[in-house]
Amino acid sequence: MNVMRLKQLLRYVWVSPITLLFLPLLGVAKLSGGKVTLHTGVIEICDGWLGRKLHQGLPLFGAVNAFTVGHIVVGVSAQHLAASRCHERVHVAQFEKWGCVFPLVYGLGSVY
């Protein structure tokens, strides 16, 4: 295994507790008519009940195009995912850097 693949594997392992915590979103999406795809190593979910909830608004955040949890990005629609992909990949990279403490760091940064 080359060094780049090993580093990527370690990033997935480092973020895996968060990704696994939100993995049930895949089932929610599939059961509600949503779509689940894999794009550049990130699970992308859109449409269905989750897409409608994002469009209606999240507590504390209001309506959002997409949000990232670990290596999962949930978006309103495929078009919203495509439009926000670069921005959401920044959050994926932040999860890869900070691991499970990233939600706390993000929250504190938002309050500050």
Side-chain angles (χ1 to χ4, degrees):
M1 180 180 288
N2 68 32
V3 174
M4 292 301 288
R5 285 186 184 263
L6 181 59
K7 285 182 179 182
Q8 185 59 43
L9 177 63
L10 290 174
R11 284 194 285 273
Y12 279 107
V13 170
W14 175 237
V15 180
S16 66
I18 296 288
T19 302
L20 291 172
L21 182 66
F22 288 91
L23 216 50
L25 293 177
L26 278 72
V28 171
K30 294 305 266 182
L31 290 171
S32 66
K35 297 179 187 111
V36 177
T37 58
L38 186 65
H39 190 284
T40 59
V42 176
I43 299 168
E44 293 187 340
I45 301 170
C46 65
D47 298 321
W49 183 81
L50 293 169
R52 289 190 299 277
K53 289 309 283 183
L54 288 181
H55 185 69
Q56 292 170 359
L58 298 175
L60 302 176
F61 294 102
V64 296
N65 288 332
F67 73 91
T68 301
V69 284
H71 285 99
I72 299 173
V73 177
V74 182
V76 173
S77 67
Q79 292 82 11
H80 286 87
L81 284 173
S84 64
R85 190 165 283 129
C86 290
H87 175 81
E88 297 305 324
R89 291 311 188 268
V90 170
H91 292 308
V92 170
Q94 290 168 326
F95 269 103
E96 289 177 346
K97 177 178 181 176
W98 292 93
C100 292
V101 299
F102 176 63
L104 178 63
V105 170
Y106 186 84
L108 290 173
S110 296
V111 169
Y112 179 73

